[in-house]
Amino acid sequence: MLTRLLAATTLAAGILIAGVAGAAELNLYTGRHYQTDELLYSNFTKKTGIKINRIEGKEDDIIERVKREGASSPADVLITVDAGRIWRADDAGLFAPVKSKVLEERIPAEFRQPEGRWFGFSTRARVIYYDKAKVKPGVDIKSYEDLADPKWKGKVCIRSGTNMYNLSLMSTLIHHLGEAKAEAWAKGVVANMARPPQGGDTDQAKAIAAGECEIGVGNTYYLVRLMRSEKPADQEVAKKVGAMFPNQDGRGAHVNVAGGGMVKTAPNKEAAVKFLEYLASDEAQQYFADGNNEYAVVQSVKLENPALHQLGGFKADKVNIEVLGKNQPLAQKIFERAGWK
Ligand SMILES: [Fe+2]
């Protein structure tokens, strides 16, 4: 049924562009959908003449769909969020390696799968949220490791251990500290929890603002979203809650990506590579990152997002994003053993 729907879309597109000799198209499967996407895609079409047929879905659903469609999938490019999730798609054999000078030059090595099967196109840091009235960032708390310090007993809010963002963070802790220390950390954090894990990252910020906890963990863009919100209640939360980049004296803050790659069975391979390269262009980086208040992955691109800039500059962990996926099964086991629900 869904495949038939796509065929219908493609057919309609074919009629629309009838008369354009050799008009190419691209089937984009995406787990991201933001306001800026329209401009992102229409500019690509304007530049290249390649029409985009967009299939949107929830992050995991879109991956499952490509899997289910198998060799007959019309998918050319698959884009979604979180390196851990993209790694799962790669682990299932969905991506083909792309050799591209443009991508290699523009995207820092740590944000590319080493064989070119997938790429990060925007980044977000997973930071420590804190109560501005009670916590001195960099003094009271400096690192992810500090979240397990018994002095925070009953004061930490953080979401579920099954959440992909936490699994990715845990994967880096396994990488940097080793399994035993990473597990001790998880147990320490569980012992410090103000309440059982619940809600999303925004809910942790809200709980801090409500005085339920003093520190929490969340991605940068959720706080920026609150800062940019026109709702007084959101602004109130943003006023009370700060974001601190952890581990600035050491390895740097944990950074994750939104990204993707070319699907192995892509019918339009040339268009797929062109599109991935376009996503790394100055212009596309603006749209792609800004749609979700994220950072551009291309270092030379300057974003116009005053709220994001208010968070300040930071040192990022340079571990390759593939580690976030590779260590994920162990991260899940550790969370289970630690009782991190
Ligand atoms: Fe998110």
PDB file of all heavy atoms in Angstrom, residues 30-67:
ATOM      1  N   THR A  30      12.911  10.231   5.198  1.00  0.00           N
ATOM      2  CA  THR A  30      13.448  11.036   6.291  1.00  0.00           C
ATOM      3  C   THR A  30      12.644  10.952   7.583  1.00  0.00           C
ATOM      4  O   THR A  30      11.414  10.930   7.575  1.00  0.00           O
ATOM      5  CB  THR A  30      13.623  12.517   5.855  1.00  0.00           C
ATOM      6  OG1 THR A  30      14.031  13.295   6.993  1.00  0.00           O
ATOM      7  CG2 THR A  30      12.344  13.113   5.293  1.00  0.00           C
ATOM      8  N   GLY A  31      13.364  10.891   8.668  1.00  0.00           N
ATOM      9  CA  GLY A  31      12.754  10.888  10.000  1.00  0.00           C
ATOM     10  C   GLY A  31      12.802  12.276  10.608  1.00  0.00           C
ATOM     11  O   GLY A  31      12.546  12.468  11.789  1.00  0.00           O
ATOM     12  N   ARG A  32      13.173  13.258   9.798  1.00  0.00           N
ATOM     13  CA  ARG A  32      13.212  14.657  10.245  1.00  0.00           C
ATOM     14  C   ARG A  32      12.172  15.447   9.479  1.00  0.00           C
ATOM     15  O   ARG A  32      12.020  15.264   8.284  1.00  0.00           O
ATOM     16  CB  ARG A  32      14.577  15.289   9.918  1.00  0.00           C
ATOM     17  CG  ARG A  32      15.635  15.107  10.949  1.00  0.00           C
ATOM     18  CD  ARG A  32      16.946  15.657  10.415  1.00  0.00           C
ATOM     19  NE  ARG A  32      16.898  17.080  10.166  1.00  0.00           N
ATOM     20  CZ  ARG A  32      17.467  17.994  10.962  1.00  0.00           C
ATOM     21  NH1 ARG A  32      18.112  17.640  12.031  1.00  0.00           N
ATOM     22  NH2 ARG A  32      17.403  19.264  10.668  1.00  0.00           N
ATOM     23  N   HIS A  33      11.489  16.330  10.121  1.00  0.00           N
ATOM     24  CA  HIS A  33      10.547  17.193   9.394  1.00  0.00           C
ATOM     25  C   HIS A  33      10.405  18.524  10.115  1.00  0.00           C
ATOM     26  O   HIS A  33       9.804  18.610  11.184  1.00  0.00           O
ATOM     27  CB  HIS A  33       9.183  16.529   9.195  1.00  0.00           C
ATOM     28  CG  HIS A  33       8.976  15.343  10.088  1.00  0.00           C
ATOM     29  ND1 HIS A  33       8.553  15.454  11.376  1.00  0.00           N
ATOM     30  CD2 HIS A  33       9.199  14.034   9.874  1.00  0.00           C
ATOM     31  CE1 HIS A  33       8.505  14.254  11.916  1.00  0.00           C
ATOM     32  NE2 HIS A  33       8.893  13.378  11.038  1.00  0.00           N
ATOM     33  N   TYR A  34      11.009  19.520   9.518  1.00  0.00           N
ATOM     34  CA  TYR A  34      10.971  20.858  10.101  1.00  0.00           C
ATOM     35  C   TYR A  34      10.529  21.870   9.062  1.00  0.00           C
ATOM     36  O   TYR A  34      10.543  21.584   7.872  1.00  0.00           O
ATOM     37  CB  TYR A  34      12.363  21.229  10.650  1.00  0.00           C
ATOM     38  CG  TYR A  34      12.825  20.302  11.714  1.00  0.00           C
ATOM     39  CD1 TYR A  34      13.890  19.444  11.507  1.00  0.00           C
ATOM     40  CD2 TYR A  34      12.163  20.249  12.935  1.00  0.00           C
ATOM     41  CE1 TYR A  34      14.293  18.559  12.490  1.00  0.00           C
ATOM     42  CE2 TYR A  34      12.556  19.378  13.924  1.00  0.00           C
ATOM     43  CZ  TYR A  34      13.621  18.531  13.688  1.00  0.00           C
ATOM     44  OH  TYR A  34      14.011  17.664  14.659  1.00  0.00           O
ATOM     45  N   GLN A  35      10.196  23.061   9.550  1.00  0.00           N
ATOM     46  CA  GLN A  35       9.714  24.116   8.655  1.00  0.00           C
ATOM     47  C   GLN A  35      10.719  24.461   7.561  1.00  0.00           C
ATOM     48  O   GLN A  35      10.345  24.750   6.435  1.00  0.00           O
ATOM     49  CB  GLN A  35       9.392  25.372   9.466  1.00  0.00           C
ATOM     50  CG  GLN A  35       8.002  25.302  10.081  1.00  0.00           C
ATOM     51  CD  GLN A  35       7.729  26.484  10.994  1.00  0.00           C
ATOM     52  OE1 GLN A  35       8.623  27.263  11.295  1.00  0.00           O
ATOM     53  NE2 GLN A  35       6.496  26.598  11.435  1.00  0.00           N
ATOM     54  N   THR A  36      12.009  24.430   7.931  1.00  0.00           N
ATOM     55  CA  THR A  36      13.039  24.841   6.974  1.00  0.00           C
ATOM     56  C   THR A  36      13.264  23.800   5.882  1.00  0.00           C
ATOM     57  O   THR A  36      13.956  24.064   4.908  1.00  0.00           O
ATOM     58  CB  THR A  36      14.377  25.084   7.702  1.00  0.00           C
ATOM     59  OG1 THR A  36      14.637  23.946   8.525  1.00  0.00           O
ATOM     60  CG2 THR A  36      14.336  26.319   8.550  1.00  0.00           C
ATOM     61  N   ASP A  37      12.672  22.608   6.046  1.00  0.00           N
ATOM     62  CA  ASP A  37      12.891  21.533   5.075  1.00  0.00           C
ATOM     63  C   ASP A  37      12.431  21.922   3.673  1.00  0.00           C
ATOM     64  O   ASP A  37      13.064  21.566   2.690  1.00  0.00           O
ATOM     65  CB  ASP A  37      12.153  20.264   5.506  1.00  0.00           C
ATOM     66  CG  ASP A  37      12.856  19.578   6.675  1.00  0.00           C
ATOM     67  OD1 ASP A  37      13.905  20.095   7.099  1.00  0.00           O
ATOM     68  OD2 ASP A  37      12.356  18.559   7.155  1.00  0.00           O
ATOM     69  N   GLU A  38      11.305  22.636   3.603  1.00  0.00           N
ATOM     70  CA  GLU A  38      10.760  23.003   2.291  1.00  0.00           C
ATOM     71  C   GLU A  38      11.804  23.749   1.461  1.00  0.00           C
ATOM     72  O   GLU A  38      12.019  23.436   0.297  1.00  0.00           O
ATOM     73  CB  GLU A  38       9.504  23.873   2.456  1.00  0.00           C
ATOM     74  CG  GLU A  38       8.331  23.151   3.086  1.00  0.00           C
ATOM     75  CD  GLU A  38       7.932  21.876   2.354  1.00  0.00           C
ATOM     76  OE1 GLU A  38       8.098  21.834   1.119  1.00  0.00           O
ATOM     77  OE2 GLU A  38       7.471  20.931   3.024  1.00  0.00           O
ATOM     78  N   LEU A  39      12.437  24.733   2.093  1.00  0.00           N
ATOM     79  CA  LEU A  39      13.453  25.519   1.393  1.00  0.00           C
ATOM     80  C   LEU A  39      14.668  24.661   1.053  1.00  0.00           C
ATOM     81  O   LEU A  39      15.250  24.765  -0.018  1.00  0.00           O
ATOM     82  CB  LEU A  39      13.896  26.696   2.268  1.00  0.00           C
ATOM     83  CG  LEU A  39      13.040  27.946   2.152  1.00  0.00           C
ATOM     84  CD1 LEU A  39      13.447  28.960   3.205  1.00  0.00           C
ATOM     85  CD2 LEU A  39      13.199  28.565   0.762  1.00  0.00           C
ATOM     86  N   LEU A  40      15.015  23.808   2.018  1.00  0.00           N
ATOM     87  CA  LEU A  40      16.159  22.914   1.827  1.00  0.00           C
ATOM     88  C   LEU A  40      15.981  22.093   0.552  1.00  0.00           C
ATOM     89  O   LEU A  40      16.860  22.027  -0.300  1.00  0.00           O
ATOM     90  CB  LEU A  40      16.248  21.994   3.046  1.00  0.00           C
ATOM     91  CG  LEU A  40      17.390  20.990   3.114  1.00  0.00           C
ATOM     92  CD1 LEU A  40      18.714  21.705   3.339  1.00  0.00           C
ATOM     93  CD2 LEU A  40      17.154  19.994   4.241  1.00  0.00           C
ATOM     94  N   TYR A  41      14.806  21.505   0.397  1.00  0.00           N
ATOM     95  CA  TYR A  41      14.574  20.621  -0.740  1.00  0.00           C
ATOM     96  C   TYR A  41      14.315  21.385  -2.036  1.00  0.00           C
ATOM     97  O   TYR A  41      14.792  20.994  -3.092  1.00  0.00           O
ATOM     98  CB  TYR A  41      13.405  19.677  -0.431  1.00  0.00           C
ATOM     99  CG  TYR A  41      13.638  18.872   0.820  1.00  0.00           C
ATOM    100  CD1 TYR A  41      12.631  18.673   1.767  1.00  0.00           C
ATOM    101  CD2 TYR A  41      14.889  18.308   1.072  1.00  0.00           C
ATOM    102  CE1 TYR A  41      12.866  17.943   2.923  1.00  0.00           C
ATOM    103  CE2 TYR A  41      15.130  17.581   2.233  1.00  0.00           C
ATOM    104  CZ  TYR A  41      14.115  17.404   3.157  1.00  0.00           C
ATOM    105  OH  TYR A  41      14.350  16.696   4.288  1.00  0.00           O
ATOM    106  N   SER A  42      13.566  22.485  -1.947  1.00  0.00           N
ATOM    107  CA  SER A  42      13.259  23.196  -3.189  1.00  0.00           C
ATOM    108  C   SER A  42      14.527  23.836  -3.768  1.00  0.00           C
ATOM    109  O   SER A  42      14.688  23.903  -4.982  1.00  0.00           O
ATOM    110  CB  SER A  42      12.158  24.229  -2.976  1.00  0.00           C
ATOM    111  OG  SER A  42      12.586  25.223  -2.081  1.00  0.00           O
ATOM    112  N   ASN A  43      15.441  24.258  -2.914  1.00  0.00           N
ATOM    113  CA  ASN A  43      16.691  24.825  -3.431  1.00  0.00           C
ATOM    114  C   ASN A  43      17.553  23.774  -4.117  1.00  0.00           C
ATOM    115  O   ASN A  43      18.238  24.054  -5.089  1.00  0.00           O
ATOM    116  CB  ASN A  43      17.488  25.495  -2.300  1.00  0.00           C
ATOM    117  CG  ASN A  43      16.938  26.875  -1.987  1.00  0.00           C
ATOM    118  OD1 ASN A  43      16.196  27.450  -2.775  1.00  0.00           O
ATOM    119  ND2 ASN A  43      17.269  27.385  -0.825  1.00  0.00           N
ATOM    120  N   PHE A  44      17.504  22.565  -3.599  1.00  0.00           N
ATOM    121  CA  PHE A  44      18.248  21.473  -4.239  1.00  0.00           C
ATOM    122  C   PHE A  44      17.704  21.233  -5.650  1.00  0.00           C
ATOM    123  O   PHE A  44      18.461  21.089  -6.607  1.00  0.00           O
ATOM    124  CB  PHE A  44      18.149  20.197  -3.392  1.00  0.00           C
ATOM    125  CG  PHE A  44      18.754  18.987  -4.048  1.00  0.00           C
ATOM    126  CD1 PHE A  44      20.141  18.855  -4.154  1.00  0.00           C
ATOM    127  CD2 PHE A  44      17.955  17.980  -4.575  1.00  0.00           C
ATOM    128  CE1 PHE A  44      20.708  17.747  -4.755  1.00  0.00           C
ATOM    129  CE2 PHE A  44      18.515  16.862  -5.186  1.00  0.00           C
ATOM    130  CZ  PHE A  44      19.890  16.743  -5.270  1.00  0.00           C
ATOM    131  N   THR A  45      16.376  21.213  -5.744  1.00  0.00           N
ATOM    132  CA  THR A  45      15.742  20.990  -7.047  1.00  0.00           C
ATOM    133  C   THR A  45      16.069  22.128  -8.008  1.00  0.00           C
ATOM    134  O   THR A  45      16.368  21.912  -9.176  1.00  0.00           O
ATOM    135  CB  THR A  45      14.207  20.847  -6.868  1.00  0.00           C
ATOM    136  OG1 THR A  45      13.968  19.777  -5.948  1.00  0.00           O
ATOM    137  CG2 THR A  45      13.516  20.534  -8.181  1.00  0.00           C
ATOM    138  N   LYS A  46      16.058  23.360  -7.470  1.00  0.00           N
ATOM    139  CA  LYS A  46      16.379  24.526  -8.304  1.00  0.00           C
ATOM    140  C   LYS A  46      17.805  24.414  -8.848  1.00  0.00           C
ATOM    141  O   LYS A  46      18.076  24.691 -10.009  1.00  0.00           O
ATOM    142  CB  LYS A  46      16.271  25.794  -7.436  1.00  0.00           C
ATOM    143  CG  LYS A  46      15.350  26.857  -8.038  1.00  0.00           C
ATOM    144  CD  LYS A  46      15.344  28.127  -7.192  1.00  0.00           C
ATOM    145  CE  LYS A  46      14.215  28.127  -6.168  1.00  0.00           C
ATOM    146  NZ  LYS A  46      14.395  29.180  -5.142  1.00  0.00           N
ATOM    147  N   LYS A  47      18.715  23.978  -8.003  1.00  0.00           N
ATOM    148  CA  LYS A  47      20.135  23.905  -8.383  1.00  0.00           C
ATOM    149  C   LYS A  47      20.425  22.784  -9.358  1.00  0.00           C
ATOM    150  O   LYS A  47      21.263  22.916 -10.236  1.00  0.00           O
ATOM    151  CB  LYS A  47      20.971  23.656  -7.127  1.00  0.00           C
ATOM    152  CG  LYS A  47      21.275  24.922  -6.378  1.00  0.00           C
ATOM    153  CD  LYS A  47      22.496  24.719  -5.495  1.00  0.00           C
ATOM    154  CE  LYS A  47      22.978  26.077  -5.042  1.00  0.00           C
ATOM    155  NZ  LYS A  47      22.986  26.219  -3.624  1.00  0.00           N
ATOM    156  N   THR A  48      19.786  21.643  -9.140  1.00  0.00           N
ATOM    157  CA  THR A  48      20.195  20.438  -9.863  1.00  0.00           C
ATOM    158  C   THR A  48      19.150  19.939 -10.860  1.00  0.00           C
ATOM    159  O   THR A  48      19.463  19.085 -11.683  1.00  0.00           O
ATOM    160  CB  THR A  48      20.453  19.284  -8.868  1.00  0.00           C
ATOM    161  OG1 THR A  48      19.218  19.019  -8.167  1.00  0.00           O
ATOM    162  CG2 THR A  48      21.528  19.652  -7.857  1.00  0.00           C
ATOM    163  N   GLY A  49      17.941  20.424 -10.750  1.00  0.00           N
ATOM    164  CA  GLY A  49      16.871  19.905 -11.600  1.00  0.00           C
ATOM    165  C   GLY A  49      16.338  18.564 -11.114  1.00  0.00           C
ATOM    166  O   GLY A  49      15.465  17.975 -11.734  1.00  0.00           O
ATOM    167  N   ILE A  50      16.896  18.089 -10.008  1.00  0.00           N
ATOM    168  CA  ILE A  50      16.469  16.783  -9.478  1.00  0.00           C
ATOM    169  C   ILE A  50      15.263  16.961  -8.556  1.00  0.00           C
ATOM    170  O   ILE A  50      15.321  17.699  -7.570  1.00  0.00           O
ATOM    171  CB  ILE A  50      17.620  16.084  -8.712  1.00  0.00           C
ATOM    172  CG1 ILE A  50      18.805  15.842  -9.651  1.00  0.00           C
ATOM    173  CG2 ILE A  50      17.121  14.768  -8.093  1.00  0.00           C
ATOM    174  CD1 ILE A  50      20.089  15.419  -8.951  1.00  0.00           C
ATOM    175  N   LYS A  51      14.192  16.310  -8.901  1.00  0.00           N
ATOM    176  CA  LYS A  51      12.957  16.403  -8.114  1.00  0.00           C
ATOM    177  C   LYS A  51      13.051  15.466  -6.917  1.00  0.00           C
ATOM    178  O   LYS A  51      13.500  14.329  -7.047  1.00  0.00           O
ATOM    179  CB  LYS A  51      11.784  16.012  -9.034  1.00  0.00           C
ATOM    180  CG  LYS A  51      10.491  15.659  -8.359  1.00  0.00           C
ATOM    181  CD  LYS A  51       9.591  16.878  -8.259  1.00  0.00           C
ATOM    182  CE  LYS A  51       8.195  16.534  -7.764  1.00  0.00           C
ATOM    183  NZ  LYS A  51       8.142  15.988  -6.432  1.00  0.00           N
ATOM    184  N   ILE A  52      12.636  15.953  -5.748  1.00  0.00           N
ATOM    185  CA  ILE A  52      12.683  15.107  -4.544  1.00  0.00           C
ATOM    186  C   ILE A  52      11.297  14.567  -4.218  1.00  0.00           C
ATOM    187  O   ILE A  52      10.338  15.321  -4.067  1.00  0.00           O
ATOM    188  CB  ILE A  52      13.229  15.904  -3.337  1.00  0.00           C
ATOM    189  CG1 ILE A  52      14.677  16.328  -3.590  1.00  0.00           C
ATOM    190  CG2 ILE A  52      13.140  15.071  -2.056  1.00  0.00           C
ATOM    191  CD1 ILE A  52      15.315  17.112  -2.465  1.00  0.00           C
ATOM    192  N   ASN A  53      11.198  13.256  -4.113  1.00  0.00           N
ATOM    193  CA  ASN A  53       9.985  12.621  -3.596  1.00  0.00           C
ATOM    194  C   ASN A  53      10.268  12.282  -2.140  1.00  0.00           C
ATOM    195  O   ASN A  53      11.123  11.460  -1.850  1.00  0.00           O
ATOM    196  CB  ASN A  53       9.668  11.337  -4.369  1.00  0.00           C
ATOM    197  CG  ASN A  53       9.562  11.594  -5.856  1.00  0.00           C
ATOM    198  OD1 ASN A  53       8.885  12.519  -6.287  1.00  0.00           O
ATOM    199  ND2 ASN A  53      10.269  10.800  -6.646  1.00  0.00           N
ATOM    200  N   ARG A  54       9.555  12.970  -1.269  1.00  0.00           N
ATOM    201  CA  ARG A  54       9.882  12.825   0.154  1.00  0.00           C
ATOM    202  C   ARG A  54       8.917  11.872   0.853  1.00  0.00           C
ATOM    203  O   ARG A  54       7.704  12.005   0.736  1.00  0.00           O
ATOM    204  CB  ARG A  54       9.807  14.192   0.816  1.00  0.00           C
ATOM    205  CG  ARG A  54      10.566  14.250   2.103  1.00  0.00           C
ATOM    206  CD  ARG A  54      10.385  15.570   2.808  1.00  0.00           C
ATOM    207  NE  ARG A  54      10.016  16.685   1.942  1.00  0.00           N
ATOM    208  CZ  ARG A  54       9.426  17.772   2.409  1.00  0.00           C
ATOM    209  NH1 ARG A  54       9.128  17.890   3.682  1.00  0.00           N
ATOM    210  NH2 ARG A  54       9.111  18.754   1.583  1.00  0.00           N
ATOM    211  N   ILE A  55       9.485  10.921   1.570  1.00  0.00           N
ATOM    212  CA  ILE A  55       8.691  10.008   2.383  1.00  0.00           C
ATOM    213  C   ILE A  55       9.076  10.274   3.836  1.00  0.00           C
ATOM    214  O   ILE A  55      10.230  10.075   4.226  1.00  0.00           O
ATOM    215  CB  ILE A  55       9.018   8.539   2.032  1.00  0.00           C
ATOM    216  CG1 ILE A  55       8.790   8.274   0.556  1.00  0.00           C
ATOM    217  CG2 ILE A  55       8.217   7.577   2.911  1.00  0.00           C
ATOM    218  CD1 ILE A  55       7.386   8.457   0.085  1.00  0.00           C
ATOM    219  N   GLU A  56       8.128  10.768   4.626  1.00  0.00           N
ATOM    220  CA  GLU A  56       8.449  11.088   6.011  1.00  0.00           C
ATOM    221  C   GLU A  56       7.865  10.050   6.950  1.00  0.00           C
ATOM    222  O   GLU A  56       6.820   9.469   6.685  1.00  0.00           O
ATOM    223  CB  GLU A  56       7.883  12.471   6.368  1.00  0.00           C
ATOM    224  CG  GLU A  56       8.589  13.594   5.635  1.00  0.00           C
ATOM    225  CD  GLU A  56       8.121  14.966   6.090  1.00  0.00           C
ATOM    226  OE1 GLU A  56       7.070  15.050   6.743  1.00  0.00           O
ATOM    227  OE2 GLU A  56       8.826  15.935   5.787  1.00  0.00           O
ATOM    228  N   GLY A  57       8.541   9.854   8.047  1.00  0.00           N
ATOM    229  CA  GLY A  57       8.039   8.923   9.046  1.00  0.00           C
ATOM    230  C   GLY A  57       8.726   9.183  10.363  1.00  0.00           C
ATOM    231  O   GLY A  57       9.625  10.023  10.434  1.00  0.00           O
ATOM    232  N   LYS A  58       8.329   8.460  11.381  1.00  0.00           N
ATOM    233  CA  LYS A  58       9.010   8.581  12.661  1.00  0.00           C
ATOM    234  C   LYS A  58      10.389   7.942  12.517  1.00  0.00           C
ATOM    235  O   LYS A  58      10.579   7.064  11.674  1.00  0.00           O
ATOM    236  CB  LYS A  58       8.203   7.878  13.751  1.00  0.00           C
ATOM    237  CG  LYS A  58       7.063   8.726  14.250  1.00  0.00           C
ATOM    238  CD  LYS A  58       6.559   8.179  15.562  1.00  0.00           C
ATOM    239  CE  LYS A  58       5.644   9.201  16.214  1.00  0.00           C
ATOM    240  NZ  LYS A  58       4.977   8.667  17.376  1.00  0.00           N
ATOM    241  N   GLU A  59      11.304   8.379  13.375  1.00  0.00           N
ATOM    242  CA  GLU A  59      12.704   7.972  13.249  1.00  0.00           C
ATOM    243  C   GLU A  59      12.894   6.476  13.022  1.00  0.00           C
ATOM    244  O   GLU A  59      13.553   6.061  12.082  1.00  0.00           O
ATOM    245  CB  GLU A  59      13.501   8.396  14.493  1.00  0.00           C
ATOM    246  CG  GLU A  59      13.593   9.889  14.695  1.00  0.00           C
ATOM    247  CD  GLU A  59      12.515  10.425  15.615  1.00  0.00           C
ATOM    248  OE1 GLU A  59      11.527   9.696  15.839  1.00  0.00           O
ATOM    249  OE2 GLU A  59      12.658  11.558  16.111  1.00  0.00           O
ATOM    250  N   ASP A  60      12.326   5.658  13.901  1.00  0.00           N
ATOM    251  CA  ASP A  60      12.531   4.213  13.779  1.00  0.00           C
ATOM    252  C   ASP A  60      11.696   3.631  12.643  1.00  0.00           C
ATOM    253  O   ASP A  60      12.129   2.711  11.964  1.00  0.00           O
ATOM    254  CB  ASP A  60      12.189   3.506  15.101  1.00  0.00           C
ATOM    255  CG  ASP A  60      13.258   3.770  16.153  1.00  0.00           C
ATOM    256  OD1 ASP A  60      14.455   3.778  15.792  1.00  0.00           O
ATOM    257  OD2 ASP A  60      12.906   3.970  17.326  1.00  0.00           O
ATOM    258  N   ASP A  61      10.500   4.173  12.435  1.00  0.00           N
ATOM    259  CA  ASP A  61       9.599   3.639  11.411  1.00  0.00           C
ATOM    260  C   ASP A  61      10.199   3.738  10.013  1.00  0.00           C
ATOM    261  O   ASP A  61      10.020   2.845   9.179  1.00  0.00           O
ATOM    262  CB  ASP A  61       8.260   4.399  11.420  1.00  0.00           C
ATOM    263  CG  ASP A  61       7.529   4.216  12.744  1.00  0.00           C
ATOM    264  OD1 ASP A  61       7.964   3.356  13.529  1.00  0.00           O
ATOM    265  OD2 ASP A  61       6.537   4.923  12.981  1.00  0.00           O
ATOM    266  N   ILE A  62      10.892   4.841   9.772  1.00  0.00           N
ATOM    267  CA  ILE A  62      11.421   5.062   8.433  1.00  0.00           C
ATOM    268  C   ILE A  62      12.527   4.039   8.126  1.00  0.00           C
ATOM    269  O   ILE A  62      12.661   3.566   7.002  1.00  0.00           O
ATOM    270  CB  ILE A  62      11.880   6.551   8.275  1.00  0.00           C
ATOM    271  CG1 ILE A  62      11.797   6.967   6.825  1.00  0.00           C
ATOM    272  CG2 ILE A  62      13.231   6.838   8.867  1.00  0.00           C
ATOM    273  CD1 ILE A  62      10.431   7.353   6.369  1.00  0.00           C
ATOM    274  N   ILE A  63      13.278   3.684   9.161  1.00  0.00           N
ATOM    275  CA  ILE A  63      14.315   2.651   8.996  1.00  0.00           C
ATOM    276  C   ILE A  63      13.650   1.294   8.755  1.00  0.00           C
ATOM    277  O   ILE A  63      14.028   0.551   7.850  1.00  0.00           O
ATOM    278  CB  ILE A  63      15.233   2.591  10.241  1.00  0.00           C
ATOM    279  CG1 ILE A  63      16.043   3.889  10.363  1.00  0.00           C
ATOM    280  CG2 ILE A  63      16.163   1.386  10.179  1.00  0.00           C
ATOM    281  CD1 ILE A  63      16.846   4.016  11.639  1.00  0.00           C
ATOM    282  N   GLU A  64      12.626   1.010   9.550  1.00  0.00           N
ATOM    283  CA  GLU A  64      11.914  -0.269   9.403  1.00  0.00           C
ATOM    284  C   GLU A  64      11.310  -0.396   8.007  1.00  0.00           C
ATOM    285  O   GLU A  64      11.279  -1.469   7.425  1.00  0.00           O
ATOM    286  CB  GLU A  64      10.804  -0.388  10.465  1.00  0.00           C
ATOM    287  CG  GLU A  64      11.328  -0.674  11.872  1.00  0.00           C
ATOM    288  CD  GLU A  64      12.333  -1.829  11.916  1.00  0.00           C
ATOM    289  OE1 GLU A  64      12.029  -2.896  11.352  1.00  0.00           O
ATOM    290  OE2 GLU A  64      13.422  -1.652  12.490  1.00  0.00           O
ATOM    291  N   ARG A  65      10.840   0.717   7.495  1.00  0.00           N
ATOM    292  CA  ARG A  65      10.219   0.685   6.171  1.00  0.00           C
ATOM    293  C   ARG A  65      11.229   0.309   5.084  1.00  0.00           C
ATOM    294  O   ARG A  65      10.937  -0.501   4.211  1.00  0.00           O
ATOM    295  CB  ARG A  65       9.593   2.054   5.879  1.00  0.00           C
ATOM    296  CG  ARG A  65       8.965   2.087   4.528  1.00  0.00           C
ATOM    297  CD  ARG A  65       8.008   3.225   4.353  1.00  0.00           C
ATOM    298  NE  ARG A  65       7.596   3.276   2.955  1.00  0.00           N
ATOM    299  CZ  ARG A  65       6.815   4.197   2.450  1.00  0.00           C
ATOM    300  NH1 ARG A  65       6.357   5.140   3.227  1.00  0.00           N
ATOM    301  NH2 ARG A  65       6.482   4.190   1.184  1.00  0.00           N
ATOM    302  N   VAL A  66      12.418   0.909   5.148  1.00  0.00           N
ATOM    303  CA  VAL A  66      13.447   0.572   4.150  1.00  0.00           C
ATOM    304  C   VAL A  66      13.811  -0.908   4.268  1.00  0.00           C
ATOM    305  O   VAL A  66      13.954  -1.607   3.263  1.00  0.00           O
ATOM    306  CB  VAL A  66      14.705   1.462   4.323  1.00  0.00           C
ATOM    307  CG1 VAL A  66      15.764   1.090   3.303  1.00  0.00           C
ATOM    308  CG2 VAL A  66      14.349   2.933   4.185  1.00  0.00           C
ATOM    309  N   LYS A  67      13.913  -1.384   5.506  1.00  0.00           N
ATOM    310  CA  LYS A  67      14.227  -2.808   5.740  1.00  0.00           C
ATOM    311  C   LYS A  67      13.164  -3.703   5.103  1.00  0.00           C
ATOM    312  O   LYS A  67      13.465  -4.669   4.429  1.00  0.00           O
ATOM    313  CB  LYS A  67      14.224  -3.085   7.246  1.00  0.00           C
ATOM    314  CG  LYS A  67      15.563  -2.909   7.906  1.00  0.00           C
ATOM    315  CD  LYS A  67      15.500  -3.563   9.290  1.00  0.00           C
ATOM    316  CE  LYS A  67      16.320  -2.814  10.291  1.00  0.00           C
ATOM    317  NZ  LYS A  67      16.044  -3.185  11.671  1.00  0.00           N
TER     318      LYS A  67
END
